[in-house]
Amino acid sequence: MSVKIDVVRVEIPEGTNVIIGQSHFIKTVEDLYETLASSSPHLKFGIAFCEASGKRLIRWDGNDEELIKIAQQTALRIGAGHTFVIYIKNGFPINVLNRIKNVEEVVRIFAATANPLQVLVAETDQGRGVIGVVDGYTPLGIETESDIKERKELLRKFGYKR
């Protein structure tokens, strides 16, 4: 048996974030929809889920046509069973991540980001599976006192700290 490793580049349109995770049941799409829809009346999102057995379709839902389409395309390119892709705008992953993690079918979250993202996919004779992600770029150094000040100011600007 052999394993082939594929790198899938994830497109992230300006003003959106993507969340990629793994689940275990077809019910995931509806439960993720309800979780996201009830998190904020302003949140726009698209969901796609790679079914791992049966018809093995890309199941989908959402409240924004553009985000639904890009979620479908990304899920199809990843092509790993039980993987889900969520695109959001008018909100941030920090606002919905714990709610998503508490959906009973969700097994893990691989990434939640607006950074450039690559998904590492292993392919065997059985199928494909996500083995990890590359989120953003390699660090360039250790933050200085002025970087710390800038970080703290940014968090307060966004309203996450007082």
Side-chain angles (χ1 to χ4, degrees):
M1 181 186 316
S2 65
V3 176
K4 176 187 160 204
I5 306 296
D6 190 16
V7 178
V8 177
R9 190 167 66 94
V10 175
E11 300 293 330
I12 305 175
E14 186 71 32
T16 66
N17 280 263
V18 65
I19 300 167
I20 297 178
Q22 184 177 31
S23 182
H24 73 90
F25 193 42
I26 192 172
K27 180 167 127 14
T28 301
V29 173
E30 289 183 48
D31 288 354
L32 287 174
Y33 180 95
E34 291 167 358
T35 295
L36 293 168
S38 67
S39 70
S40 167
H42 307 290
L43 188 71
K44 298 296 179 193
F45 60 91
I47 305 165
F49 170 71
C50 299
E51 189 175 38
S53 59
K55 290 187 173 185
R56 297 190 344 230
L57 300 172
I58 303 293
R59 304 293 181 165
W60 59 273
D61 209 335
N63 65 6
D64 183 281
E65 291 294 322
E66 174 189 348
L67 298 178
I68 291 168
K69 286 200 182 312
I70 194 165
Q72 291 168 335
Q73 294 164 356
T74 300
L76 193 57
R77 283 198 329 278
I78 293 170
H82 282 160
T83 300
F84 63 84
V85 177
I86 302 169
Y87 281 88
I88 63 172
K89 63 182 174 183
N90 300 340
F92 298 100
I94 195 170
N95 306 129
V96 296
L97 212 43
N98 279 337
R99 294 173 69 109
I100 290 170
K101 289 176 188 177
N102 283 323
V103 171
E104 61 191 354
E105 300 90 32
V106 171
V107 176
R108 72 184 62 177
I109 302 293
F110 293 110
T113 190
N115 293 329
L117 182 66
Q118 297 172 324
V119 178
L120 307 176
V121 179
E123 185 170 349
T124 69
D125 60 342
Q126 177 178 310
R128 291 165 61 93
V130 175
I131 57 174
V133 298
V134 178
D135 183 349
Y137 301 104
T138 304
L140 298 175
I142 297 174
E143 71 180 347
T144 64
E145 289 300 322
S146 66
D147 295 320
I148 292 169
K149 182 177 186 260
E150 182 182 331
R151 169 175 44 91
K152 290 181 176 184
E153 288 171 358
L154 182 65
L155 291 173
R156 279 144 187 86
K157 176 184 170 190
F158 287 155
Y160 290 120
K161 298 289 185 175
R162 293 191 279 157

